[in-house]
Amino acid sequence: MLKSTVPGVHRERRQRLSDSAPDACFIFFGAKEVVRSNSTHYPFRQDSDFLYLTGFDEPEAILVLVGGKSHLFVQERDESREIWDGERYGLDRARVVFGVDETHAVHEFYSCLDTLLTDATSVRTTLGWDADRDRSLLKALHGASRFRGKGRFGHLPVHSPLPELSELRSVKDEVELGLIRKACKATVKAHSDVLRKVRSGMTEFDAFIEFQYSLLRHGCGELGYGPIFASGFNATTLHYTRNNELLKEGDLFLIDAAGEVEGYTADLTQTFPVSRQFQPAQSRVYEQVLGVNREITAMIKPGVSYRELHSKSVELLTESLLSLGVLEGDPKELVLTGAYRKYYPHGVGHYLGLDVHDAGIYHERGRDFLLKPGMVLTNEPGLYFREPGPYFGIGIRIEDDILVTGMGSEVLTAGLPRTVAEIENVRSGGVWS
Ligand SMILES: [Mn+2]
């Protein structure tokens, strides 16, 4: 069982979702085990929506919310399987521990569906992830609605539950914030250990090993996403994943990696010199990116939209590129023509939580969604130079995780050396508490 599973919290989340469409039947499928190679599997990771609504972390489960009741379909106890795969909750314990109204054996799901749908006027489920599952479900729904008599609704409409669920998930409750804080804290520790220990002659992979070791020591057993340990020119590849090159004096080292605690992840990037000091061109770019990171942090508060934050980062980084002598011309014109995109090709951030690119709506039919207290998002401006010139091969991103509070914001990843002077001090053996 996940340590922080609190049945009351999950029940409340399910209730709020049901309230958004009281006559609907919500169906959520948990994740399956995925084969890695011959009779071995990838480590199991529960589906994020499923985890949010249940806290249940066994494979092959299904959740149904209908008529004010919750039904959890789980694998039955089976000693011959449990010898290999570990203990299962089974029906009776799962009902008590996860606070659902009823549990059923998962193989009975399709035969129960007709009964569950008796009074539902629509189905809310996510199609499009798994074609086999979609086929089975649609076949069962077809069978169910076919037998409807007069006065019923005929074939049931199927809608996505994601608009309502995304909105719920985007505002974090106290349990979620506790887990995100833990993930952020361990991640900051691991980044600061790597910042102290990395030397030229090590490889990107050696740094990754240090990072993972430190994460584990600080209570974080998993990485929240594919880590990026990119030195030198590799840092200009946004999703560099080889992570195996030799670290060389004079290069920068961009590390985008973070730990996950009970499904909740941090997302942090630092960039520092492999040598003790930045080279002049590197520190010029670094200070520009850090300046933008800080201005964006200062803007984050309830009522601001993601679009405003991103536009501001574009405006500021365009000014940076002008002051670095990379671009020439009128700043407004350069923003309009997108001249910055070659050097700043990504967005300024994203929601963060159970998924590194978390559920949450940015804008819909031209309408911007505004930040609310309890939302968590990343702030990650960057500049990347892939073409010959004075900044060739420099890739810098500075990323923090920010909680929107009632009054403004709180940087959850605070505590790392971030200025040029602070970083050079630590790289030269200085103490950082
Ligand atoms: Mn990010």
mmCIF file of all heavy atoms in Angstrom, residues 267 350 378 380 399, ligand 1:
data_model
loop_
_atom_site.group_PDB
_atom_site.id
_atom_site.type_symbol
_atom_site.label_atom_id
_atom_site.label_comp_id
_atom_site.label_asym_id
_atom_site.label_seq_id
_atom_site.Cartn_x
_atom_site.Cartn_y
_atom_site.Cartn_z
ATOM 1 N N ASP A 267 10.327 18.463 -10.860
ATOM 2 C CA ASP A 267 10.879 18.666 -12.207
ATOM 3 C C ASP A 267 11.862 19.819 -12.102
ATOM 4 O O ASP A 267 11.451 20.968 -11.978
ATOM 5 C CB ASP A 267 9.738 18.995 -13.183
ATOM 6 C CG ASP A 267 10.216 19.065 -14.623
ATOM 7 O OD1 ASP A 267 11.406 18.757 -14.879
ATOM 8 O OD2 ASP A 267 9.403 19.432 -15.492
ATOM 9 N N HIS A 350 4.875 24.098 -17.368
ATOM 10 C CA HIS A 350 3.714 23.216 -17.479
ATOM 11 C C HIS A 350 3.250 22.871 -16.077
ATOM 12 O O HIS A 350 3.992 23.048 -15.111
ATOM 13 C CB HIS A 350 4.083 21.941 -18.253
ATOM 14 C CG HIS A 350 5.366 21.310 -17.787
ATOM 15 N ND1 HIS A 350 5.432 20.475 -16.698
ATOM 16 C CD2 HIS A 350 6.646 21.438 -18.229
ATOM 17 C CE1 HIS A 350 6.689 20.097 -16.508
ATOM 18 N NE2 HIS A 350 7.462 20.677 -17.416
ATOM 19 N N THR A 378 5.822 24.458 -13.446
ATOM 20 C CA THR A 378 7.258 24.664 -13.570
ATOM 21 C C THR A 378 7.521 26.019 -14.211
ATOM 22 O O THR A 378 6.672 26.575 -14.898
ATOM 23 C CB THR A 378 7.928 23.571 -14.427
ATOM 24 O OG1 THR A 378 7.486 23.712 -15.788
ATOM 25 C CG2 THR A 378 7.590 22.177 -13.925
ATOM 26 N N GLU A 380 10.666 27.352 -16.439
ATOM 27 C CA GLU A 380 11.898 26.812 -17.009
ATOM 28 C C GLU A 380 12.355 27.497 -18.293
ATOM 29 O O GLU A 380 12.409 26.885 -19.350
ATOM 30 C CB GLU A 380 11.747 25.311 -17.244
ATOM 31 C CG GLU A 380 10.490 24.900 -18.001
ATOM 32 C CD GLU A 380 10.421 23.380 -18.207
ATOM 33 O OE1 GLU A 380 11.417 22.812 -18.671
ATOM 34 O OE2 GLU A 380 9.374 22.791 -17.902
ATOM 35 N N GLU A 399 15.280 25.616 -14.123
ATOM 36 C CA GLU A 399 13.884 25.212 -13.895
ATOM 37 C C GLU A 399 13.577 25.045 -12.416
ATOM 38 O O GLU A 399 14.300 24.357 -11.696
ATOM 39 C CB GLU A 399 13.615 23.878 -14.608
ATOM 40 C CG GLU A 399 12.207 23.327 -14.364
ATOM 41 C CD GLU A 399 11.920 22.078 -15.176
ATOM 42 O OE1 GLU A 399 12.856 21.299 -15.426
ATOM 43 O OE2 GLU A 399 10.752 21.888 -15.550
HETATM 44 MN MN MN B 1 9.803 20.679 -17.055
#
